[in-house]
Amino acid sequence: MTLPPKPAARPERVSLLGYLRRFRADILSAQPAKLYRARMAEFRTPFFRSYLVNQPDLIRTVLHDRPAEFPKSDRVGAGLRPLLGNSVFLTNGATWARQRRIIDPAFEGGRLRDTFPAMLAAGNAAVARLSEGIHEIEAETSHAAADVIFRTLFSIPIEDDAASAVFHQFRDYQRSQPLLNLAAFVRGPAWMPRFHRASTRATARAIRGLIAGLTEARRDAIAKGTAPDDLATKIMTTRDPETGATFDAAEMVDQVAIFFLAGHETSASALAWALYLLALYPQVQERVAVEVADFPDTPSFSDMKRLPLTRDVFREALRLYPPVPMMVRETVKPERFRDRDIAKGSQIVLSPWHLHRHERLWDRPDAFDPDRYDTENGKTGLREAFIPFSAGPRVCTGAGFAMVEGPLFLAMLVKAFRFDRVEGCDPVPVAHLTVRARDGIWLNLTRRQGAGATQA
C-alpha cells in the first residue's frame, strides 16, 4: 500500500530555535524523525524540562498504575480554561474524583443503547444534507457530530436556535485556539501574558453564555418534572454518593463545555480523516461498501456487530490521526525513568501522535491498513500502544460512545455515497483543538446506485 501523507517532512535534527519556530507554526510539523523511534526523549529549555515517553510500560505507570502521582499539567489548562473552566478534563485530585463520581453513571449500563436512536437520527440527517459534488468534509462531519451531542445531551437537533448558535461559535473558536501553545510549556511569573487572543476569549464567553442558557432551561424543566430522560438530565440529577451534592449551575456549564469539545470535536476529526482515508484507498472503501450494503436502513444497536471492517477503518483513522495528539502530565515528586532522574515539576508528554506511528511498536506504522488488527502485531499494538481516548482512570468517559458513533456514521455515509479524493487537495494535518486539516478535507461525493436521500 502507498502511505497517507505525513504532516510534513520529518527533520532528523532540530535546534531549539528551529523547534520553537516550527512549534509556533504547528506542533505536528515540529516533531523530528528520531522521536518516532525513541523510547523516551528529553527536551530542555531555560524554562522547563519535558520528557516524551513512548515506552509502553512507562505509559502504563503514568496512566494506569500511579495516575495520582502524574496529574494533568496546568500548562495545558492555561490554554483551554477560558472555554472549559474547571471541567473534569482539567481538574485533578479530589475535585476530579468528585466530578467523575457524578458523571460516570450517565455512561454506564444501557445508556449507550439508549442514546443509539439519537445517533441514528443525526446520521440520517447528515446523509439527507449531503449531495453529489465536492464538499469540505470536515465541515460536514462537524455538523453531524454536533447534532449527535445536542440530541443525546439535550434532546434537541442541531437546527434548534441555541444548538446552532453554540455550533457556529465553537467552529470559530476551534480554528483560533491550538491544543498546545507556548503558554502550555513556558513557566513564568504571574504577569506573563497567557497568549489568548481577545477574540478567542470573547468567543469562549459567548459559547459559555449559550450553554448556561441551555442548562438553566433544563434545570427549570427538571424542577417542573418535564425534563426528557437524556444525558443532561441524568448528569444534573445525579448526586455524589459521598456528599449527596449535585453539580451547581457553574459546574454544569464547565462539564457541558467539555462534553461538547470531547464528544463533538474529536468525533468530527476522526470521522473526517476516516472518510479521507477511504477516498485515498478506494479498494478498502469498496470492501466497506460491500459490508454495509446489507446494513439495515433502521439498524438496532445490536446490528453494530455486523460492521467489523468499518470499525477497524475507524480505529485505523484514530491511530493515524489521533484527535488529541499529545497529553501532558506533571511529576509531583522525583522519578526515575530509563535510568534517568526526572525532577519534581517536570513535564511528562504522552503523545498518541508518536506512539501510534512508532517504528518499534507497529509494523509499517505510517501505512493505512485496517486489516492489521487481525495480526499479532496489531493486537499487541491495541493493548500497548493505542491511546486515542487516553487510558486508566482518566480514560474518556465517552470512548464507548465514540466507537459506536464513528462506525455507524461511516456505514451510513458509505452506503449512500462514494467518496473520492480531489486532485491537488490532499489535506495536511495540523493541531488546533484536535488534529484537523490545514485547508480542510475536500472530497468528491457520488451517490451510490439505489441510495436515496434518507430523512431524519
Side-chain angles (χ1 to χ4, degrees), residues 19 22-28 31 50 52 73-80 89-90 176-186 194-196 323-329 347-354 430-435:
Y19 185 86
R22 285 172 170 263
F23 189 106
R24 286 178 65 84
D26 169 52
I27 191 173
L28 302 183
Q31 308 306 311
S50 181
L52 175 70
S73 170
D74 198 50
R75 290 184 174 91
V76 175
L80 298 176
F89 184 73
L90 299 178
S176 70
Q177 178 62 42
L179 176 70
L180 296 174
N181 60 16
L182 291 181
F185 289 105
V186 178
R194 296 295 95 185
F195 302 100
H196 298 305
V324 179
M326 296 183 188
M327 300 173 281
V328 185
R329 300 294 193 262
Q347 304 293 289
I348 303 296
V349 179
L350 308 176
S351 173
W353 184 262
H354 295 92
V430 295
H432 289 285
L433 282 175
T434 52
V435 174

Side-chain angles (χ1 to χ4, degrees), residues 384-402:
E384 299 182 353
F386 185 75
I387 53 171
F389 305 109
S390 189
R394 295 202 71 137
V395 67
C396 175
T397 54
F401 190 100

Side-chain angles (χ1 to χ4, degrees), residues 147-162:
D147 196 11
V148 171
I149 287 298
F150 282 112
R151 288 176 189 264
T152 56
L153 195 59
F154 286 108
S155 298
I156 56 177
I158 191 67
E159 289 77 17
D160 178 270
D161 288 346

Side-chain angles (χ1 to χ4, degrees), residues 65 108 113 143 179 208 226 240 261 315 322 383-384 411:
D65 301 339
E108 292 175 349
R113 185 182 298 271
H143 196 149
L179 176 70
R208 289 178 62 84
T226 60
D240 180 354
L261 170 61
R315 182 178 281 159
R383 290 194 306 270
E384 299 182 353

Side-chain angles (χ1 to χ4, degrees), residues 265-319:
E265 180 69 13
T266 58
S267 294
S269 169
L271 183 59
W273 286 112
L275 289 169
Y276 166 66
L277 288 166
L278 288 180
L280 193 62
Y281 298 95
Q283 71 277 25
V284 178
Q285 183 176 174
E286 290 313 303
R287 289 174 58 201
V288 172
V290 170
E291 180 173 86
V292 305
D294 295 327
F295 192 62
D297 290 333
T298 307
S300 65
F301 182 75
S302 62
D303 286 317
M304 294 303 297
K305 65 179 180 290
R306 300 166 62 172
L307 301 174
L309 175 61
T310 308
R311 179 203 61 209
D312 285 344
V313 166
F314 188 70
R315 182 178 281 159
E316 187 73 337
L318 287 169
R319 185 185 70 83

